[in-house]
Amino acid sequence: MSAELDQRAREILRTNDKGGYTVPTDGLYPYQWNWDSVFVALGFATFDESRACREIETLFEVQWDSGFVPHIVFRQDDPGYFPGPSTWNAGGQVPTSGITQPPIAASVIYEMWCRTKTDSIRERLATLFPKVLAWHRWFHRCRISEDTGAVIITHPWESGRDNSPEWTRPTSRVDPTGVGPYQRRDLQHADASMRPLKRDYDRYIALLEYGRDTGWDHSKLATEGPFRMADVGMTMILLRATRDLIRLSKELGRVDIIAELDGYVRSLEQGADYLWDSKAQTYCSRDVISGEASGYVTNASFLYGYAGVGDHGQQAHMARHWDRIGARVQYMLPSQDPDDAGFDHMRYWCGPVWIMMNYILARGFLEIGQQAWAERLRADSHRLIADFGFHEAFSPQTGDGTGGRDFSWTAAMWLAWCGRNTAAPGT
Ligand code: DGY
C-alpha cells in the first residue's frame, strides 16, 4: 500500500513537472507558485536531489533586483488562469505577480543541506544562499515595521492562506467598485463551495489593481495601502527561516553576517510577541490600520513551536486550544478553529487541513517536546492521503478532499514526511 502510494506521489510530481518547475496542479494552478515549489523540492529530494535544487533555482531566477521574490512565475501563457500576467503587469523578461509568499526557502534549503551527502548538491545550495539572504533583507527593508517587528502583508494572497477569516474584517474596508468585469477561472476547475466567495474575490482584484497602479512599490504598499495586516503565519515562518539561515551561514563560514541575522531574529521575536492576543489567548494576525487583532485561532497560530517563541503561560493557553480543537475534529489541524466565526470545513483556508502546514507544525512540536501532537499530525496526514487521495486540502471533519486533485505539495509531503512511519520529520 505504502509502496503504491510512494509511486503515485512520484508520478504526480513528474506529471506536474513542466521542465525545471512544477505546477501545483494542472488546471487550477498552471504556473509556478513560490512556496508550493519550495515544499515540492523536499519531495523531489527523496528521489532526485538535482531536480529538487532545480525547483528552487528556477524560482530564484526571477528574483527582482530589490531581493523580492514573487508569488507566481508566468513562464508560458495559460488562458485557463485568472489573474494572469497581463493583469499583474509585473516582472522582467519572465512575467511574474507583484506580491510575495511565505519565505519557507531558507528552511528547506537548510534541510536539504543537512540531508545530502553530495558535494555538488551542497555547492548548488550554497549558490542559493545570497539570494535567500537578499529576500530576507527585502522583508526587513520593505515589510517589517520597526515599532512592531511583525511582517506586514499587503494582499491576502501573500499570506498563502488566501481567504482565511482573519482577512474578512480588514478586507471589508477595501472598495471594489472600481474593478471592471472579470471572469473567474478557478470556478471552472473546482466547486464554488471550496473556493473563496465573490465578495472576497472582488477585493483581491481591487487590491491587485491598487498594487499595480503604484508600479509595485512594495514599501508604499506596506505604509499606505488599503490592506495592511501583521500576519502571524508570515512572521513565524520568517523567524524560523532566519534561524535556519543563521545555521546555514555557520555551515558556509559566513560569520560576517551573523550579527545582522541575529538582529533580524530579535526584531521578529518582538513581532511574534506583538501578535499575542491576550483577549483570545492566542497568536493571531493584527490589522495594522485599525490596530485590531483577529482573535482567531488558526493553524498558523500554532507555528509558535516552529518559530521557537512563547513563554510557559502562552504555551499552556495554546495547549488548551489544541485539546479543545482536537476533540471537535477527526483530523488535525484545521486551518480555522471550528468554534470561531467563518469556519467552513470545505472552503479553502476557512477550515480544511493543509498537509504542508501540518509538516512544519509537526517539526516545531517535536522541538518543543510535544511529540504526541507531532505524531497525531503525521498519522492524520497519512490517513487523509491514504484514504482520500492527494488532494489540495481536506475536510477536518469528514476527510473529504477539497480544491485541486493530484496536488504537488501533498505528494511531496507524503514522500518527505507523512508516508513514513516515523514521527520525526526530516529523519
Ligand atoms: C489563486 O489564484 O487562488 C491563488 O491562490 C492566488 O495565489
Side-chain angles (χ1 to χ4, degrees), residues 4-5 7-18 22-31 36 40 44 189-190 194 354-355 384-385 388-394 401-415:
E4 269 167 45
L5 287 170
Q7 171 146 351
R8 182 70 201 116
R10 285 193 288 266
E11 260 167 37
I12 290 172
L13 292 188
R14 287 199 192 97
T15 307
N16 290 342
D17 179 356
K18 300 298 168 201
T22 307
V23 298
T25 183
D26 261 331
L28 188 58
Y29 302 120
Y31 301 105
D36 287 75
V40 157
F44 276 121
H189 306 289
M194 301 171 175
W354 293 78
I355 305 292
L384 284 168
I385 294 174
F388 298 93
F390 289 93
H391 294 275
E392 181 174 6
F394 302 85
T402 177
R405 288 165 178 276
D406 295 341
F407 220 82
S408 298
W409 66 17
T410 309
M413 293 298 98
W414 174 269
L415 292 169

Side-chain angles (χ1 to χ4, degrees), residues 28-30 33 35-36 71-72 81-83 88 97 99-101 155-158 160-163 184 186 195-196 201 204 348-349 354 392:
L28 188 58
Y29 302 120
W33 259 262
W35 71 329
D36 287 75
H71 101 295
I72 311 178
Y81 182 79
F82 175 84
W88 287 97
S97 69
I99 58 172
T100 195
Q101 248 184 349
H155 191 296
W157 288 347
E158 287 198 307
R161 301 181 295 124
D162 294 19
N163 66 337
R184 279 180 73 169
D186 57 323
R195 297 290 302 168
Y201 220 86
Y204 301 156
Y348 213 34
W349 286 89
W354 293 78
E392 181 174 6

Side-chain angles (χ1 to χ4, degrees), residues 302-325:
F302 285 93
L303 287 173
Y304 68 92
Y306 183 67
V309 295
D311 61 24
H312 193 67
Q314 289 165 323
Q315 296 205 15
H317 283 298
M318 293 310 297
R320 278 192 279 279
H321 290 306
W322 174 272
D323 290 343
R324 181 177 50 74
I325 294 170

Side-chain angles (χ1 to χ4, degrees), residues 2 31 71 106 138 164 192 279 314 318 320 345 376 385 422:
S2 224
Y31 301 105
H71 101 295
W138 173 84
S164 166
K279 199 156 150 239
Q314 289 165 323
M318 293 310 297
R320 278 192 279 279
H345 75 124
R376 174 149 190 205
I385 294 174
T422 161

Side-chain angles (χ1 to χ4, degrees), residues 358-369:
N358 276 1
Y359 170 65
I360 55 175
L361 287 159
R363 286 190 76 92
F365 291 158
L366 283 177
E367 289 162 6
I368 59 168

Side-chain angles (χ1 to χ4, degrees), residues 140-252:
H140 285 271
R141 241 185 10 260
C142 301
R143 288 307 184 77
I144 294 177
S145 72
E146 265 174 37
D147 37 325
T148 72
V151 178
I152 297 170
I153 56 164
T154 62
H155 191 296
W157 288 347
E158 287 198 307
S159 68
R161 301 181 295 124
D162 294 19
N163 66 337
S164 166
E166 290 210 290
W167 323 135
T168 308
R169 247 173 312 171
T171 48
S172 66
R173 272 196 319 264
V174 175
D175 178 9
T177 49
V179 172
Y182 65 90
Q183 200 190 347
R184 279 180 73 169
R185 303 289 181 170
D186 57 323
L187 301 182
Q188 293 167 351
H189 306 289
D191 194 89
S193 63
M194 301 171 175
R195 297 290 302 168
L197 299 167
K198 174 169 168 37
R199 171 201 74 192
D200 296 327
Y201 220 86
D202 285 349
R203 288 170 168 84
Y204 301 156
I205 303 306
L207 285 168
L208 187 166
E209 291 181 353
Y210 180 90
R212 186 185 61 202
D213 293 347
T214 69
W216 297 112
D217 180 337
H218 293 129
S219 301
K220 182 168 175 189
L221 286 171
T223 48
E224 294 173 29
F227 174 84
R228 283 175 274 144
M229 275 311 274
D231 173 13
V232 67
M234 280 285 220
T235 303
M236 299 292 188
I237 287 172
L238 185 62
L239 174 48
R240 171 52 181 257
T242 312
R243 296 193 199 280
D244 286 331
L245 206 55
I246 292 174
R247 296 181 182 110
L248 201 53
S249 314
K250 290 181 181 158
E251 293 282 333
L252 295 172

